[in-house]
Amino acid sequence: MSNAKPDNPNLDPALWSAISDHVMRYGPQFEKRIISRASGSYVYDLANEPILDFTSGQMSAVLGHSHPEIVKTVQDNIGQLDHLFSGMLSRPVIELSQRLGSITPGLEKVLLLSTGGESNEAAIRLAKIVTGKHEIVAFSKSWHGMTGAAAAATYSAARKGYGPVSVGSFAIPAPHAYRPRFTHADGSLDWQTELDDAFNLIDSQSTGNLAAFIAEPILSSGGIIDLPLGYLAALKKKCDERGMLLILDEAQTGMGRTGHMFAFERDGVTPDILTLSKTLGAGLPLSAVLTSTEIEQKAHDRGFIFLTTHVSDPLPAAIGITVMDVIARENLIKRATSAGQHLRTGLEALQQRFDCIGDVRGRGLLLGLEIVTDRQSRTPDLAMGDRIGEEALARGLSMNIVKVPAMGAVFRIAPPLTISDDEIDRGLDIMAEAIQAAQR
């Protein structure tokens, strides 16, 4: 038997034997390409083949991979302050809290944590102690995390097989313009009637302990469902009428991705609690909970505790400061708008060419491309979506597809805010080639 290495190092049997024997499977099917490095808008496999990254890693690397200033921040800080006892504060933590807490009146107080799920756990815990109630409402296509209360408020997937979730977990339908449940006479989405109907059902099920509603301004894992303009204000009103707090989870929409620093700014509605993650650390583990001075004071008076191993760690906080510096200096919020329009125009041109593209939606550089069997029935074509994704990756483009039947076959497209127009055009060219190949 020959022990010769394969021509393609990604197919090294020893590597795949180690993966088979020791790497636990946790959801996605692993790609057959092992990544060795990443830079800018590209990741590179063991054969040094470039893959254009249209998902910013896990929808996180807003500055691209290995941004020189992020690298320098890590290098400069790792030898000074990396981790501290949770009762100790450092200058990076104080500065990042000050900067985040100075952006939006009503969100002055900041708690720095590690992951999105962790920040949503803290937000829900905060809402419960402040209101004295325990019922949490979310969208039926939501994703807020994999732990405890965050998992209980996640409805897009991963609910079966784990036993009971938190008592008082409720869901309402997300307003979906492409697949409306309630419509006006012209067939367009009647989201107000849908929202009224949903809260009538919530009221009939509640025991009078509604604490909070947690929502993404654009439901990402739900298939890039953008809440219609006006919806957040109506939702906030529903919450206020019931003494609930509104928590907005901007893990993917925060830090400029939609063309605003925070997606809720478009609507002129400030949540009671805001959670950030993913984009705040530009791909490194950093998250935050923001709330008002009043809510923080009430929580403190009632004994609020959220102690984690990495709360207020200085190294991630320093990275967050750098992320904010680069976004401001390079005017990346404005860039998200212009690059997003460039990308959207290209996607809409593809929609004109290919009947399998049913819808293009989203904001800024967070866009969705839905694949359907035909535009009349709007039936999700999961098999076609798989083929397109495989053909794209074979040509050097990575896109993430949501393949839950109830949500459609939707490619989530969220490249770094630093992506160039040429790279966008390259990605669009590969998508066209991939769709053509998938249809044969």
Side-chain angles (χ1 to χ4, degrees):
M1 178 182 291
S2 173
N3 292 319
K5 295 283 187 180
D7 291 337
N8 185 346
N10 294 291
L11 303 179
D12 185 348
L15 279 177
W16 287 100
S17 176
I19 291 168
S20 177
D21 291 346
H22 300 295
V23 178
M24 182 179 288
R25 290 164 289 185
Y26 46 84
Q29 182 176 347
F30 298 128
E31 303 289 359
K32 298 301 182 183
R33 298 169 77 167
I34 307 300
I35 305 305
S36 61
R37 65 185 181 92
S39 178
S41 299
Y42 288 87
V43 299
Y44 297 82
D45 67 12
L46 288 177
N48 205 34
E49 290 293 328
I51 303 169
L52 184 56
D53 184 3
F54 259 32
T55 62
S56 301
Q58 192 66 35
M59 323 298 283
S60 304
V62 290
L63 305 184
H65 296 281
S66 303
H67 190 284
E69 292 194 43
I70 297 292
V71 172
K72 186 176 187 303
T73 297
V74 174
Q75 291 173 335
D76 289 349
N77 284 269
I78 193 66
Q80 299 180 42
L81 276 175
D82 52 3
H83 166 73
L84 293 172
F85 167 63
S86 58
M88 294 179 176
L89 294 176
S90 60
R91 284 187 178 274
V93 168
I94 296 167
E95 181 180 346
L96 182 57
S97 297
Q98 181 181 31
R99 290 179 63 169
L100 287 173
S102 300
I103 295 173
T104 306
L107 296 173
E108 301 91 1
K109 288 282 192 169
V110 180
L111 172 65
L112 298 178
L113 299 163
S114 297
T115 68
E118 193 175 50
S119 65
N120 288 329
E121 288 288 339
I124 290 171
R125 191 174 179 89
L126 185 66
K128 286 180 176 181
I129 199 168
V130 167
T131 63
K133 297 181 284 188
H134 67 273
E135 293 173 344
I136 305 296
V137 187
F139 285 122
S140 60
K141 301 183 189 303
S142 59
W143 187 288
H144 296 294
M146 285 282 91
T147 58
T154 293
Y155 292 91
S156 62
R159 290 185 72 82
K160 293 185 174 73
Y162 306 100
V165 296
S166 302
V167 173
S169 299
F170 300 117
I172 70 170
H176 196 343
Y178 187 60
R179 303 179 185 280
R181 296 174 67 252
F182 291 78
T183 60
H184 296 292
D186 63 359
S188 62
L189 172 67
D190 181 359
W191 57 260
Q192 184 66 63
T193 299
E194 182 176 46
L195 183 64
D196 292 340
D197 179 72
F199 265 89
N200 286 338
L201 290 174
I202 293 297
D203 291 338
S204 70
Q205 297 171 76
S206 172
T207 61
N209 285 281
L210 291 168
F213 194 110
I214 183 168
E216 303 161 85
I218 300 176
L219 286 78
S220 179
S221 293
I224 310 296
I225 301 173
D226 189 2
L227 299 184
L229 186 61
Y231 190 94
L232 271 184
L235 179 59
K236 184 69 167 67
K237 182 179 179 183
K238 295 287 187 188
C239 291
D240 291 344
E241 290 170 350
R242 291 159 178 79
M244 303 168 67
L245 301 183
L246 176 61
I247 304 169
L248 289 185
D249 175 356
E250 294 227 19
Q252 296 190 30
T253 55
M255 310 311 293
R257 181 166 287 289
T258 67
H260 293 87
M261 177 60 85
F262 308 128
F264 70 75
E265 293 175 341
R266 181 202 69 172
D267 297 71
V269 176
T270 302
D272 298 293
I273 303 171
L274 172 68
T275 63
L276 303 170
S277 56
K278 291 184 181 289
T279 55
L280 179 61
L284 293 165
L286 174 64
S287 65
V289 180
L290 284 70
T291 193
S292 67
T293 302
E294 179 184 359
I295 288 174
E296 190 270 351
Q297 183 65 54
K298 186 177 290 187
H300 176 72
D301 292 344
R302 295 183 179 184
F304 177 70
I305 292 177
F306 200 84
L307 290 171
T308 74
T309 301
H310 296 288
V311 63
S312 292
D313 262 358
L315 178 59
I319 293 166
I321 293 168
T322 299
V323 171
M324 295 188 73
D325 285 342
V326 174
I327 287 174
R329 188 180 65 251
E330 298 186 8
N331 207 4
L332 292 181
I333 297 176
K334 183 178 179 181
R335 174 61 185 161
T337 300
S338 60
Q341 186 56 56
H342 185 87
L343 177 58
R344 189 184 193 109
T345 298
L347 294 175
E348 289 172 345
L350 292 180
Q351 185 181 23
Q352 295 300 311
R353 288 178 59 188
F354 300 107
D355 289 340
C356 65
I357 300 177
D359 194 31
V360 176
R361 54 183 180 259
R363 270 188 269 164
L365 280 174
L366 181 58
L367 300 175
L369 190 78
E370 179 154 357
I371 306 301
V372 295
T373 57
D374 62 272
R375 293 181 184 173
Q376 288 68 44
S377 71
R378 302 184 181 185
T379 302
D381 196 336
L382 307 185
M384 175 63 79
D386 271 339
R387 292 197 299 274
I388 293 171
E390 290 169 1
E391 294 288 351
L393 187 61
R395 289 163 171 77
L397 175 66
S398 174
M399 299 185 294
N400 175 272
I401 186 167
V402 177
K403 295 185 292 186
V404 179
M407 298 169 205
V410 184
F411 284 101
R412 295 189 295 171
I413 303 173
L417 306 191
T418 52
I419 193 167
S420 69
D421 286 349
D422 286 344
E423 289 169 334
I424 289 174
D425 291 338
R426 175 61 182 148
L428 291 167
D429 288 343
I430 294 175
M431 290 174 67
E433 294 172 9
I435 295 171
Q436 284 180 321
Q439 290 179 330
R440 292 178 188 142

